[in-house]
Amino acid sequence: MDMALWAVLAAMGALGVRVGFAVHGAALARSKNAAGAVLRQVCDACVAILAFWVVGWAITVSGGRVFGLQWRALFGIGENYSLVWLQIVAMVLIATGIVPGVLAERARFWPTLASSALLGALIIPIAIIWTFGDGWLHRIGDHDYGGAGWLHLPGACCAAVGAFVVGPRSGKFNRDGSSTAIPGHSVPLAGIGVVVLFAGFFVFLTGLSNGIDYGRVASNVFLAAAAGGLAAVVMSQIRYYKPDVHLTFAGMLGGIVAISAGANGMIGLSAVIIGAVAGLVVPLAILLLDVKFRLDDPSGNVAVHGVGAIWGLVATPLFVRGLSAGDRVKILGVHVLAIVAIAALAIALSFAMWVVLKRTTRIRASEADEFDGLDLAEHDIGAYPDFQQTMIKSYHLREV
């Protein structure tokens, strides 16, 4: 297959991932917020693509050199597009799609799109140039095939900071320290979203291979996803005496994220082990973030893409083929450094952005709008109009 077709394949996979994000995020929101959840995914993709076109590509081709910035690459003036441009846009689309699901049901529409611009224009391009080519992480031995560090981790960090700054949904956390479950409106739809995410990631990661070791990559993605889902459902059976639906979904997705770092360099047994551990660690991280750290994440994306990515980066040097013990220790140290550096970059820039937005805009929906649902408050529409309430009950909360 021609390399151009592999690039197109990766881009198609990224679009599939976006479909999965939209379906999964809308399903895990209540019905009064479902339409806006889908619109945010669509508009997030639009902003991310244009942000990368305006400045992100120029930073990427300049290798991060401020005084060597390729000015002709700004706004696409030079029209120097390439297969690499297409593949990086695909990566940006996946990273930015993590954020809307985390901030669902309480963050306003327009301010949250700023995260798409920040990730597409700065954070992801910088993380990529650190990791590839002449980047400093690449020079010291970083091995991250599918973007655990330079794709999933920055998106998860940006989303986590946003969730802390914006705050939880009304009624999520109680004064006694307990957490209230706020179920989404459609569990079957969430399951469909997970399957679409699985398919999209499979195509995306296989497309990144450019025809090299694509069979191994594809097989390892399948094995890690299967092991992650099975480990999660067994863990939930042991812990809660019943197989938990959402934790199983999270375990499968966590396995896919974890294997992305080393999918091209390990045998099937290693992929199964990595996926199975992710299937245990990611669901537990979701519970820990919710109960202990009081992070309101309706989608579970912070744990799936953050914790899953960290485990994948730690596991890759332990399981990748053909390395000596000394090389494994060296690459493990490099990956720990990559985790710290990329997370610090994403957290610092994201914190600055979210704080500025909180102080200059009404990024948090009002209590009345949150009660009615953001579909009505922001979009004058309902996701399911045939079942919509005929009377809005929160006018007593509104200022006259």
Side-chain angles (χ1 to χ4, degrees):
M1 185 184 294
D2 184 81
M3 288 187 63
L5 294 180
W6 285 105
V8 172
L9 188 67
M12 289 174 59
L15 293 175
V17 170
R18 292 308 299 239
V19 174
F21 275 138
V23 175
H24 185 250
L28 294 181
R30 287 165 288 185
S31 59
K32 61 185 179 180
N33 298 302
V38 175
L39 180 64
R40 289 172 193 235
Q41 287 289 346
V42 172
C43 293
D44 166 88
C46 297
V47 172
I49 292 170
L50 291 175
F52 182 75
W53 174 72
V54 169
V55 68
W57 177 240
I59 292 174
T60 304
V61 297
S62 302
R65 297 184 298 274
V66 176
F67 297 105
L69 187 66
Q70 299 292 323
W71 298 103
R72 286 184 56 79
L74 293 172
F75 295 93
I77 294 174
E79 297 292 337
N80 56 342
Y81 304 127
S82 66
L83 299 179
V84 177
W85 188 94
L86 181 62
Q87 288 184 321
I88 297 178
V89 166
M91 300 165 189
V92 168
L93 285 179
I94 293 176
T96 60
I98 296 169
V99 180
V102 177
L103 296 178
E105 301 200 296
R106 78 274 200 194
R108 291 199 172 275
F109 176 78
W110 288 109
T112 55
L113 292 180
S115 65
S116 312
L118 180 66
L119 285 165
L122 286 177
I123 296 178
I124 301 302
I126 292 174
I128 287 175
I129 61 178
W130 283 359
T131 312
F132 291 96
D134 196 38
W136 66 277
L137 285 173
H138 184 263
R139 291 199 306 269
I140 61 177
D142 183 83
H143 179 100
D144 186 359
Y145 164 78
W150 44 264
L151 188 157
H152 295 280
L153 185 59
C157 289
C158 182
V161 174
F164 276 117
V165 173
V166 174
R169 290 168 289 177
S170 298
K172 172 61 181 173
F173 299 114
N174 306 311
R175 292 183 177 180
D176 62 358
S178 62
S179 174
T180 301
I182 305 178
H185 78 281
S186 177
V187 176
L189 193 62
I192 294 172
V194 169
V195 174
V196 175
L197 281 165
F198 181 9
F201 275 119
F202 168 75
V203 175
F204 170 72
L205 291 170
T206 305
L208 288 182
S209 69
N210 291 327
I212 303 172
D213 290 330
Y214 62 91
R216 180 179 294 111
V217 172
S219 300
N220 284 341
V221 173
F222 262 81
L223 292 171
L230 188 60
V233 74
V234 170
M235 182 271 291
S236 66
Q237 176 69 49
I238 295 172
R239 186 180 177 93
Y240 302 110
Y241 306 107
K242 291 182 179 179
D244 188 279
V245 176
H246 292 298
L247 294 184
T248 303
F249 293 165
M252 173 178 279
L253 294 177
I256 297 171
V257 172
I259 197 60
S260 63
N264 66 331
M266 58 186 63
I267 62 174
L269 178 60
S270 299
V272 169
I273 294 173
I274 290 174
V277 174
L280 299 175
V281 172
V282 168
L284 292 176
I286 289 177
L287 299 173
L288 185 66
L289 288 172
D290 184 84
V291 176
K292 297 296 183 181
F293 293 94
R294 300 172 70 86
L295 180 94
D296 186 10
D297 178 5
S299 64
N301 280 346
V302 171
V304 168
H305 298 274
V307 176
I310 290 172
W311 161 240
L313 288 170
V314 170
T316 295
L318 303 180
F319 290 96
V320 73
R321 302 179 306 161
L323 294 180
S324 65
D327 289 337
R328 294 183 191 279
V329 173
K330 176 184 176 182
I331 296 177
L332 178 60
V334 171
H335 281 192
V336 171
L337 179 60
I339 292 169
V340 173
I342 294 174
L345 169 73
I347 290 172
L349 294 180
S350 299
F351 181 76
M353 178 198 69
W354 290 121
V355 169
V356 169
L357 287 173
K358 186 175 183 178
R359 293 183 177 180
T360 59
T361 69
R362 293 178 58 210
I363 189 171
R364 175 61 189 256
S366 67
E367 184 182 0
D369 288 345
E370 191 176 345
F371 185 91
D372 290 342
L374 300 187
D375 286 356
L376 177 67
E378 296 206 306
H379 310 294
D380 286 329
I381 197 173
Y384 306 100
D386 289 344
F387 303 97
Q388 198 74 21
Q389 290 181 334
T390 57
M391 182 181 295
I392 303 302
K393 299 180 179 179
S394 65
Y395 285 114
H396 66 284
L397 296 173
R398 298 179 181 275
E399 295 183 6
V400 178

